[in-house]
Amino acid sequence: MFRGTLKRFCKRYLKVIMGSFGSFRYGESLIGILFVTPVVLYFLIFLLYPALGALYYSFTEWNMRTRPIWVGLWNYKHLLFDRIKYPYFWHSLGVTAKYTGIAMPLSFVTALVLALLINAVKRGQDFFKVAFYLPVITAGAAVATMWRWIYDPLYGLLNIGLKAVGLQPQRWLGEPRMIIPALAIISAWQCGFAMIVFLAGLASIPSRLYEAAEIDGAGAWQKFRYIMLPMLKPTTFFLLVTGLIAAFQVFDIVYVLFRTGGGTIGGPGQAGLTYVLSLFDHAFRYYEMGVACAMSFILFVIILIVTYLQFRFVPQSYE
Amino acid sequence: MARLSKYWLCRSLVLYMALLIIAILMVSPFVWMISTSLKNGPDVFTPIPTLFPINKKTGDIYATLENYRYVLIKKGFAIAFFNSLIVAGIVVPLKLFLDALGGYAFARIPFPGRDKLFLLLLSSMMIPGIALLIPRVYVTKVLGLYDSLWGLIIPMSVSVFDVFLLRQFFLTLPRELEEAAMIDGASRLRIFIQIILPLSRPVLAVVTITSFIWHWNDLIWPLVIINTPSRYTLPLALALLTSGQSHKPHLTMAGAAIATIPILIVFLIFQKRILKGITLTGLKM
């Protein structure tokens, strides 16, 4: 009986497809369902199942080859409280928080300065926009490769430059305390996206506001402080939310920067071991899929909470 | 009046100087990459950086493509380039078609439960991509796509964000066009292909270019799916080259240049569309 139903269903499905090709119109809603079928199938297989699966597997011990074994909250308990078995969980969270806290403000300020500069000139805006956007479209792997050479302690461009202006050269990627600053510099270099969004925000400020301010005798600083900054609040809020989600998931650049032939993953002192790098390590080096799934779920919760707090407490509008 | 214009001249001079200096700083890693990639091994490590390759012994200026040849042939970058091209060449149009098809139905063809379904789809955008990684790898394995180029294509063949974006665009198109076509007896598929898609060219272009750049650059998915070196994509080949040969910058820079230059060309051709598209979609690449 089931086969009969299936056969009839397939026949009908085919008929609809044929019908929608020709001029004959079959039932509207069937065609609609047909059109969304690929998207919905994809959603079920590659989004819904993984989302529910990640939650389920986080309660199991699983290596992806054998059947998962239910262990309840074991993974969470040990990740959060067992510092001997999982010494890097809190460490990697700290690294990610530090990276976000230093890299994001730095790249936002850089982006705002660039946007203001570009906004202030009349000609050649496009040229500068393109030049400042190049680092954003470059592959993370290529970015890391380029900067690994720039950060070379002896022959790297940066240290040679520092020496030339009389500053102390640094062992950028060789010393734990320099790693987060090194990553922050790269993210400031990649600030082009925020710059374009700031520029759009600046362009949306109505010129009558400036005119009114000029009549009142406002100077450049006052215009910046009392018109531009408040009017850029919605823009900044958007960048803050999306930037934080992206910064929490940073992977490509750190993976390529710190991976060596020997397989060390987080750089010297594991100072570059970001959360996702650590997750990746658990999953694809130790095959602790359950633990890694628990980490992904924790990450999801963290992002949810932080985003909620931003919507709740960060001013989004002009007021 | 003369004083005022002098002030403006000075002001724009200072502004342009500042912009130019920053632009040089921003572009210098790329210049340094190309410059290093054209040098022979012994001439890379110099105490004073040289823009053009200079032979240490004779002092002649030269340029060599030997590093590119070596990386392309000996380090598998030629195959990786080809693989990247195949993957991006299939996944980008496929994704565009499926997303547009779905987006059109969600915008214009009513069926029971449509808007609830759409909301369910949208809710999946809240989940950070990395959180879905492991079960996705498992699904890919179960489907028998593991360690194959199809494994890079099928699991990436739809983007909910693009469905959303295209639906929002289709909603702005005038309904009258479709109604007129329907009266003339055109089917939905025909309306979609012959009326809707041509009208949506600007937004389709943005989606195409952004997803091309995204797929060309993607590292983490190929990293977990591909094992066989002959199926590496460019970012993967580059990641492995860099971690193994970091003390040979002339080689890694040639590799980085091979991975970067196609994207730079695409970007320079479509820069206007891309930069406009960012503000249109709020989409980072």
Side-chain angles (χ1 to χ4, degrees):
Chain A
M1 193 197 110
F2 173 71
R3 266 183 93 164
T5 320
L6 196 72
K7 219 173 170 181
R8 242 179 299 138
F9 177 77
C10 288
K11 256 190 187 160
R12 220 175 137 112
Y13 203 84
L14 274 174
K15 209 169 171 187
V16 175
I17 298 178
M18 299 332 260
S20 72
F21 269 112
S23 62
F24 168 68
R25 292 209 294 107
Y26 213 78
E28 268 292 87
S29 46
L30 270 178
I31 294 174
I33 292 168
L34 201 71
F35 275 25
V36 300
T37 303
V39 173
V40 171
L41 276 180
Y42 180 89
F43 169 77
L44 293 176
I45 298 171
F46 291 108
L47 290 168
L48 188 66
Y49 163 69
L52 299 176
L55 185 59
Y56 167 70
Y57 294 129
S58 75
F59 298 118
T60 66
E61 195 189 316
W62 187 40
N63 59 11
M64 216 182 264
R65 293 197 180 86
T66 51
R67 289 181 76 91
I69 303 159
W70 182 267
V71 294
L73 287 170
W74 193 93
N75 292 328
Y76 291 96
K77 206 175 98 194
H78 285 259
L79 267 177
L80 293 171
F81 303 115
D82 190 342
R83 292 220 169 193
I84 296 157
K85 204 162 165 48
Y86 297 111
Y88 292 121
F89 176 77
W90 290 105
H91 171 82
S92 68
L93 256 182
V95 168
T96 308
K98 216 160 98 188
Y99 168 75
T100 311
I102 295 174
M104 245 191 9
L106 188 69
S107 71
F108 277 16
V109 170
T110 318
L112 185 59
V113 169
L114 294 182
L116 287 170
L117 281 173
I118 289 182
N119 197 50
V121 300
K122 290 225 165 54
R123 278 156 200 261
Q125 288 196 339
D126 283 351
F127 171 78
F128 292 113
K129 276 189 216 167
V130 168
F132 298 158
Y133 204 73
L134 288 179
V136 183
I137 52 141
T138 310
V143 168
T145 305
M146 285 153 83
W147 281 87
R148 224 168 137 150
W149 173 220
I150 289 171
Y151 282 145
D152 187 272
L154 277 177
Y155 301 102
L157 208 51
L158 189 62
N159 272 353
I160 292 173
L162 285 178
K163 252 188 269 176
V165 296
L167 290 170
Q168 186 68 32
Q170 301 288 340
R171 293 175 64 231
W172 289 98
L173 301 174
E175 221 177 302
R177 69 182 174 87
M178 291 313 294
I179 281 179
I180 296 291
L183 290 174
I185 291 174
I186 298 179
S187 94
W189 179 65
Q190 290 192 300
C191 72
F193 173 71
M195 174 200 74
I196 297 288
V197 178
F198 273 132
L199 271 172
L202 285 173
S204 71
I205 301 176
S207 57
R208 60 188 154 79
L209 289 183
Y210 297 119
E211 285 154 17
E214 264 164 39
I215 290 168
D216 290 344
W221 167 253
Q222 275 130 340
K223 271 194 257 175
F224 170 70
R225 174 70 188 78
Y226 295 107
I227 297 177
M228 287 178 176
L229 273 189
M231 292 298 281
L232 282 178
K233 263 185 197 163
T235 313
T236 317
F237 182 75
F238 166 75
L239 286 173
L240 207 65
V241 173
T242 54
L244 215 94
I245 293 174
F248 264 84
Q249 298 187 66
V250 60
F251 176 78
D252 291 16
I253 290 178
V254 274
Y255 178 80
V256 180
L257 268 183
F258 300 125
R259 194 174 184 275
T260 57
T264 8
I265 198 148
Q270 301 289 7
L273 188 75
T274 61
Y275 191 83
V276 174
L277 203 55
S278 166
L279 191 162
F280 180 88
D281 210 24
H282 279 299
F284 298 104
R285 202 144 67 112
Y286 305 122
Y287 294 98
E288 301 175 319
M289 296 298 168
V291 174
C293 281
M295 284 184 77
S296 0
F297 191 70
I298 293 171
L299 178 73
F300 171 57
V301 172
I302 292 174
I303 289 180
L304 217 59
I305 292 174
V306 173
T307 311
Y308 170 76
L309 291 178
Q310 281 175 323
F311 272 94
R312 187 86 177 69
F313 294 110
V314 179
Q316 295 163 44
S317 59
Y318 309 121
E319 303 314 316
Chain B
M1 201 59 209
R3 193 179 288 161
L4 197 67
S5 71
K6 213 173 185 178
Y7 162 77
W8 279 102
L9 198 71
C10 274
R11 179 179 172 273
S12 48
L13 207 69
V14 170
L15 282 175
Y16 278 112
M17 283 304 283
L19 276 170
L20 213 62
I21 290 168
I22 298 172
I24 290 169
L25 282 176
M26 292 292 239
V27 176
S28 60
F30 294 101
V31 177
W32 190 226
M33 166 182 83
I34 303 283
S35 156
T36 306
S37 73
L38 298 174
K39 291 175 184 175
N40 280 326
D43 304 328
V44 168
F45 300 101
T46 52
I48 298 163
T50 54
L51 181 57
F52 299 106
I54 294 174
N55 190 313
K56 254 186 187 168
K57 283 186 197 128
T58 60
D60 295 332
I61 292 181
Y62 69 95
T64 174
L65 290 175
E66 175 58 29
N67 301 323
Y68 287 90
R69 200 189 65 84
Y70 183 83
V71 168
L72 279 171
I73 294 164
K74 290 272 167 57
K75 292 288 172 185
F77 270 60
I79 298 167
F81 189 93
F82 192 61
N83 288 339
S84 277
L85 216 56
I86 291 179
V87 171
I90 297 177
V91 82
V92 171
L94 179 70
K95 193 169 149 185
L96 188 73
F97 183 72
L98 295 182
D99 291 349
L101 202 65
Y104 176 62
F106 280 122
R108 280 296 154 78
I109 312 177
F111 58 83
R114 184 187 69 172
D115 294 339
K116 273 183 198 139
L117 185 65
F118 186 62
L119 218 64
L120 189 67
L121 282 182
L122 280 192
S123 67
S124 73
M125 290 202 315
M126 278 190 346
I127 307 168
I130 224 80
L132 305 175
L133 184 71
I134 292 157
R136 262 191 188 172
V137 173
Y138 181 63
V139 176
T140 310
K141 261 188 184 160
V142 170
L143 294 176
L145 302 171
Y146 187 74
D147 199 18
S148 79
L149 291 187
W150 287 109
L152 303 182
I153 293 167
I154 307 289
M156 296 282 142
S157 57
V158 167
S159 147
V160 174
F161 182 81
D162 289 353
V163 173
F164 169 72
L165 195 75
L166 291 166
R167 171 189 180 263
Q168 298 310 96
F169 183 81
F170 294 147
L171 282 174
T172 65
L173 296 175
R175 248 174 211 284
E176 289 75 17
L177 283 172
E178 286 164 76
E179 280 159 8
M182 271 183 205
I183 290 166
D184 290 345
S187 69
R188 277 289 182 184
L189 194 67
R190 204 185 169 123
I191 293 173
F192 173 68
I193 289 174
Q194 292 194 337
I195 296 174
I196 300 294
L197 288 187
L199 282 174
S200 317
R201 245 182 241 144
V203 70
L204 293 178
V206 170
V207 172
T208 309
I209 299 160
T210 51
S211 73
F212 175 76
I213 293 177
W214 198 91
H215 285 288
W216 185 271
N217 288 344
D218 187 29
L219 172 66
I220 190 161
W221 188 248
L223 186 64
V224 295
I225 290 297
I226 300 294
N227 269 332
T228 314
S230 67
R231 292 174 197 143
Y232 282 176
T233 59
L234 270 179
L236 193 50
L238 182 61
L240 296 179
L241 178 76
T242 304
S243 54
Q245 311 271 333
S246 59
H247 55 289
K248 289 180 182 162
H250 51 294
L251 294 183
T252 60
M253 289 305 116
I258 293 167
T260 309
I261 286 168
I263 285 293
L264 290 189
I265 292 170
V266 168
F267 177 62
L268 291 178
I269 293 171
F270 298 108
Q271 33 149 318
K272 280 240 163 75
R273 281 238 160 103
I274 294 175
L275 293 179
K276 247 193 215 124
I278 301 160
T279 41
L280 185 80
T281 62
L283 190 65
K284 190 176 184 169
M285 281 161 258

